[in-house]
Short mmCIF file of all heavy atoms in Angstrom, two decimals:
data_model
loop_
_atom_site.label_atom_id
_atom_site.label_comp_id
_atom_site.label_asym_id
_atom_site.label_seq_id
_atom_site.Cartn_x
_atom_site.Cartn_y
_atom_site.Cartn_z
N LYS A 399 113.71 86.56 98.41
CA LYS A 399 112.14 86.45 98.57
C LYS A 399 111.66 87.96 98.75
O LYS A 399 112.09 88.62 99.62
CB LYS A 399 111.63 85.52 99.56
CG LYS A 399 110.05 85.55 99.64
CD LYS A 399 109.51 84.73 98.48
CE LYS A 399 108.01 84.82 98.46
NZ LYS A 399 107.57 86.14 97.78
N GLY A 400 110.72 88.35 97.98
CA GLY A 400 110.15 89.70 98.08
C GLY A 400 108.76 89.56 98.71
O GLY A 400 108.14 88.46 98.69
N GLY A 401 108.15 90.69 99.09
CA GLY A 401 106.84 90.62 99.43
C GLY A 401 106.19 92.02 99.30
O GLY A 401 106.78 93.03 99.57
N ILE A 402 104.86 92.04 98.73
CA ILE A 402 104.31 93.29 98.61
C ILE A 402 102.83 93.18 99.01
O ILE A 402 102.21 92.22 98.69
CB ILE A 402 104.43 93.69 97.16
CG1 ILE A 402 103.83 95.12 96.88
CG2 ILE A 402 103.75 92.74 96.15
CD1 ILE A 402 104.06 95.62 95.49
N THR A 403 102.35 94.20 99.68
CA THR A 403 100.86 94.26 99.90
C THR A 403 100.57 95.76 100.03
O THR A 403 101.42 96.56 99.52
CB THR A 403 100.49 93.53 101.26
OG1 THR A 403 99.10 93.55 101.38
CG2 THR A 403 101.17 94.01 102.41
N TRP A 404 99.37 96.03 100.43
CA TRP A 404 98.96 97.40 100.45
C TRP A 404 99.99 98.44 101.16
O TRP A 404 100.26 98.32 102.31
CB TRP A 404 97.66 97.50 101.29
CG TRP A 404 97.10 98.85 101.34
CD1 TRP A 404 96.73 99.49 102.41
CD2 TRP A 404 96.35 99.57 100.31
NE1 TRP A 404 96.12 100.72 102.19
CE2 TRP A 404 95.86 100.83 100.91
CE3 TRP A 404 96.32 99.43 98.98
CZ2 TRP A 404 95.14 101.82 100.11
CZ3 TRP A 404 95.67 100.41 98.20
CH2 TRP A 404 95.11 101.49 98.71
N ARG A 405 100.77 99.23 100.36
CA ARG A 405 101.65 100.23 100.86
C ARG A 405 102.94 99.55 101.50
O ARG A 405 103.70 100.27 102.15
CB ARG A 405 101.04 101.22 101.77
CG ARG A 405 99.85 102.00 101.17
CD ARG A 405 99.40 103.01 102.18
NE ARG A 405 98.05 103.70 101.67
CZ ARG A 405 98.08 104.81 101.01
NH1 ARG A 405 99.18 105.37 100.83
NH2 ARG A 405 96.94 105.39 100.52
N VAL A 406 103.11 98.36 101.19
CA VAL A 406 104.28 97.61 101.82
C VAL A 406 105.13 96.93 100.79
O VAL A 406 104.58 96.23 99.83
CB VAL A 406 103.78 96.45 102.79
CG1 VAL A 406 104.90 95.59 103.33
CG2 VAL A 406 103.06 97.20 103.96
N LEU A 407 106.48 97.19 100.93
CA LEU A 407 107.40 96.51 100.06
C LEU A 407 108.56 95.95 100.90
O LEU A 407 109.19 96.65 101.62
CB LEU A 407 107.96 97.39 98.94
CG LEU A 407 109.16 96.92 98.20
CD1 LEU A 407 108.74 95.69 97.41
CD2 LEU A 407 109.71 97.96 97.30
N ASN A 408 108.74 94.59 100.83
CA ASN A 408 109.85 93.89 101.68
C ASN A 408 110.78 93.27 100.64
O ASN A 408 110.25 92.59 99.71
CB ASN A 408 109.31 92.93 102.61
CG ASN A 408 108.36 93.56 103.67
OD1 ASN A 408 108.74 94.79 104.07
ND2 ASN A 408 107.48 92.84 104.22
N LEU A 409 112.06 93.26 100.88
CA LEU A 409 112.93 92.62 100.07
C LEU A 409 113.95 91.80 100.97
O LEU A 409 114.63 92.55 101.85
CB LEU A 409 113.77 93.49 99.13
CG LEU A 409 112.86 94.13 98.03
CD1 LEU A 409 113.64 95.19 97.27
CD2 LEU A 409 112.31 93.12 96.98
N THR A 410 114.12 90.46 100.90
CA THR A 410 115.09 89.79 101.73
C THR A 410 115.85 88.95 100.87
O THR A 410 115.48 88.57 99.78
CB THR A 410 114.26 88.93 102.79
OG1 THR A 410 113.53 87.84 102.04
CG2 THR A 410 113.27 89.73 103.51
N GLY A 411 117.19 88.67 101.30
CA GLY A 411 117.97 87.76 100.70
C GLY A 411 119.21 87.25 101.39
O GLY A 411 119.60 87.77 102.43
N TYR A 412 119.83 86.23 100.88
CA TYR A 412 121.07 85.62 101.47
C TYR A 412 121.92 85.47 100.25
O TYR A 412 121.68 84.84 99.27
CB TYR A 412 120.66 84.35 102.12
CG TYR A 412 121.96 83.31 102.44
CD1 TYR A 412 122.78 83.73 103.44
CD2 TYR A 412 122.12 82.33 101.55
CE1 TYR A 412 123.81 82.88 103.76
CE2 TYR A 412 123.20 81.49 101.91
CZ TYR A 412 124.12 81.86 102.98
OH TYR A 412 125.22 80.93 103.22
N VAL A 413 123.33 85.81 100.52
CA VAL A 413 124.25 85.75 99.37
C VAL A 413 125.58 85.07 99.95
O VAL A 413 126.00 85.26 100.98
CB VAL A 413 124.64 87.18 99.03
CG1 VAL A 413 125.75 87.11 97.93
CG2 VAL A 413 123.50 87.92 98.54
N GLU A 414 126.10 84.16 99.07
CA GLU A 414 127.33 83.53 99.30
C GLU A 414 128.34 83.97 98.23
O GLU A 414 128.02 84.00 96.96
CB GLU A 414 127.23 82.01 99.24
CG GLU A 414 126.42 81.40 100.40
CD GLU A 414 126.14 79.87 100.20
OE1 GLU A 414 126.54 79.27 99.24
OE2 GLU A 414 125.59 79.33 101.20
N LEU A 415 129.58 84.36 98.61
CA LEU A 415 130.58 84.86 97.75
C LEU A 415 131.67 83.77 97.54
O LEU A 415 131.74 82.76 98.27
CB LEU A 415 131.27 86.16 98.32
CG LEU A 415 130.14 87.23 98.61
CD1 LEU A 415 130.95 88.47 99.08
CD2 LEU A 415 129.46 87.61 97.31
N PRO A 416 132.49 83.86 96.53
CA PRO A 416 133.46 82.87 96.23
C PRO A 416 134.39 82.53 97.35
O PRO A 416 134.87 81.33 97.44
CB PRO A 416 134.15 83.33 95.04
CG PRO A 416 133.23 84.26 94.28
CD PRO A 416 132.41 84.85 95.44
N ASP A 417 134.71 83.50 98.20
CA ASP A 417 135.65 83.12 99.35
C ASP A 417 134.91 82.71 100.57
O ASP A 417 135.54 82.54 101.55
CB ASP A 417 136.37 84.54 99.70
CG ASP A 417 135.53 85.62 100.12
OD1 ASP A 417 134.11 85.36 100.31
OD2 ASP A 417 135.91 86.67 100.56
N GLY A 418 133.58 82.26 100.41
CA GLY A 418 132.91 81.72 101.56
C GLY A 418 132.18 82.75 102.24
O GLY A 418 131.36 82.36 103.24
N THR A 419 132.32 84.00 102.01
CA THR A 419 131.59 85.13 102.76
C THR A 419 130.10 84.82 102.70
O THR A 419 129.65 84.62 101.60
CB THR A 419 132.02 86.40 102.35
OG1 THR A 419 133.43 86.68 102.55
CG2 THR A 419 131.24 87.58 102.99
N GLN A 420 129.35 85.04 103.81
CA GLN A 420 127.96 84.91 103.78
C GLN A 420 127.37 86.37 104.18
O GLN A 420 127.89 86.92 105.22
CB GLN A 420 127.54 83.90 104.82
CG GLN A 420 128.07 82.39 104.51
CD GLN A 420 127.60 81.43 105.44
OE1 GLN A 420 127.24 81.79 106.60
NE2 GLN A 420 127.53 80.17 105.09
N LEU A 421 126.37 86.67 103.32
CA LEU A 421 125.66 88.01 103.60
C LEU A 421 124.24 87.77 103.65
O LEU A 421 123.70 86.92 102.98
CB LEU A 421 125.94 89.05 102.57
CG LEU A 421 127.52 89.24 102.15
CD1 LEU A 421 127.49 90.07 101.00
CD2 LEU A 421 128.09 89.98 103.39
N ALA A 422 123.50 88.38 104.57
CA ALA A 422 121.98 88.40 104.53
C ALA A 422 121.55 89.76 104.80
O ALA A 422 122.15 90.64 105.46
CB ALA A 422 121.57 87.42 105.61
N TYR A 423 120.25 90.05 104.34
CA TYR A 423 119.64 91.45 104.45
C TYR A 423 118.26 91.41 104.57
O TYR A 423 117.59 90.40 103.98
CB TYR A 423 120.20 92.27 103.24
CG TYR A 423 119.68 91.76 101.91
CD1 TYR A 423 118.46 92.14 101.39
CD2 TYR A 423 120.45 90.88 101.19
CE1 TYR A 423 118.06 91.61 100.14
CE2 TYR A 423 120.13 90.42 99.94
CZ TYR A 423 118.89 90.81 99.49
OH TYR A 423 118.43 90.26 98.24
#
Side-chain angles (χ1 to χ4, degrees):
K399 181 70 186 83
I402 185 172
T403 185
W404 182 246
R405 300 181 185 268
V406 172
L407 171 66
N408 297 331
L409 296 170
T410 69
Y412 165 76
V413 180
E414 293 175 354
L415 303 181
D417 64 359
T419 296
Q420 299 177 341
L421 309 171
Y423 60 89

